[in-house]
Amino acid sequence: MKTLKLKDVCSDIFAGAALFTNDALSLEYKTNGFRVIRLADIQNNELSFENCLFFNKQDYSKNRYLLQNNDILISSRGTIFKVAIFQKQDNYKTIPSGFLSCIRLNPDLNISVNYVAAYLRHKESSIISASNSVKKSSVQNPKIQLKLSDIYNIEVPIVSNKIQKEIDKLSSEVIELLKKSIDKTKKIEEILKDY
């Protein structure tokens, strides 16, 4: 089966914005700042915008990190491997934190973003172990430190359009089931909050 490296199917791959503890991250910048996606904002392979913090807008260099619809976010540091697809739902300018890297597929190649995201999740252990920069913090929890060169060189099998469409369909079903599950969990919490 033919495989291509991510660098050959992407229009851009970049590391998230370096934000430091003294950088101003707050909910107060909601009206005029950059929304920051952190590792904690990826839950169950989906982005949750509920607890996102915002970065002060005065640093215009952050414009180069702006996310576009269908960008894939992947953990590049930390102890938990996460993959999610960014879907623009509002007018907030959104950037990934430095613990994430962004994979932007070349739209001219017609490769399904759902397929690539699913493949990356499926190959989690081999992606982490293939990285030359993995540091073992313990036997059970390797510390992920993917460099951009590691991400560029991830090989993705080029499967038929039929298989990609099937993965798209299944991904949509999973998202719908997940949303229903989250809604029902919230209803249970609402009922129990007074007890």
Side-chain angles (χ1 to χ4, degrees):
M1 176 176 293
K2 181 180 178 183
T3 64
L4 288 173
K5 292 183 177 181
L6 274 180
K7 67 180 178 181
D8 298 323
V9 298
C10 290
S11 59
D12 200 2
I13 299 173
F14 60 90
L19 301 169
F20 304 100
T21 52
N22 60 345
D23 284 333
L25 285 176
S26 169
L27 289 172
E28 295 173 20
Y29 301 123
K30 203 171 201 173
T31 55
N32 64 354
F34 292 95
R35 177 172 51 196
V36 178
I37 302 295
R38 302 162 297 153
L39 279 175
D41 299 317
I42 299 176
Q43 301 162 4
N44 301 314
N45 299 324
E46 292 293 315
L47 289 175
S48 170
F49 298 109
E50 280 183 38
N51 297 312
C52 286
L53 296 176
F54 289 74
F55 178 77
N56 191 335
K57 184 181 177 179
Q58 294 171 16
D59 185 354
Y60 293 102
S61 68
K62 298 295 186 257
N63 279 325
R64 69 185 181 108
Y65 299 103
L66 288 175
L67 292 174
Q68 296 178 11
N69 210 31
N70 289 325
D71 282 348
I72 299 171
L73 297 174
I74 182 173
S75 307
S76 51
R77 291 192 283 163
T79 55
I80 301 173
F81 187 78
K82 296 184 176 186
V83 177
I85 300 170
F86 176 76
Q87 297 292 332
K88 193 161 180 65
Q89 300 174 351
D90 49 43
N91 292 323
Y92 290 125
K93 293 192 287 185
T94 306
I95 62 174
S97 76
F99 280 75
L100 296 165
S101 291
C102 176
I103 298 167
R104 184 170 295 151
L105 296 178
N106 182 340
D108 296 335
L109 298 179
N110 291 320
I111 296 174
S112 163
V113 69
N114 289 312
Y115 163 65
V116 173
Y119 181 78
L120 292 172
R121 287 184 203 108
H122 173 68
K123 289 297 185 178
E124 169 186 344
S125 59
S126 61
I127 290 170
I128 293 171
S129 62
S131 165
N132 294 328
S133 48
V134 170
K135 294 184 179 176
K136 299 271 182 183
S137 55
S138 75
V139 175
Q140 295 167 330
N141 290 324
K143 188 157 185 144
I144 301 164
Q145 291 191 354
L146 291 174
K147 297 181 287 191
L148 284 179
S149 59
D150 298 325
I151 297 169
Y152 294 153
N153 292 315
I154 294 172
E155 293 199 11
V156 178
I158 304 305
V159 297
S160 69
N161 285 338
K162 180 181 178 185
I163 291 173
Q164 290 185 52
K165 285 179 183 175
E166 179 68 14
I167 289 173
D168 285 346
K169 179 178 176 271
L170 291 169
S171 294
S172 296
E173 290 172 6
V174 166
I175 290 167
E176 199 54 43
L177 288 171
L178 182 61
K179 285 179 182 172
K180 286 180 182 176
S181 175
I182 290 169
D183 287 345
K184 288 182 180 184
T185 301
K186 284 180 181 176
K187 285 179 185 175
I188 291 169
E189 290 171 358
E190 187 66 29
I191 292 169
L192 294 174
K193 75 176 183 178
D194 295 327
Y195 297 99

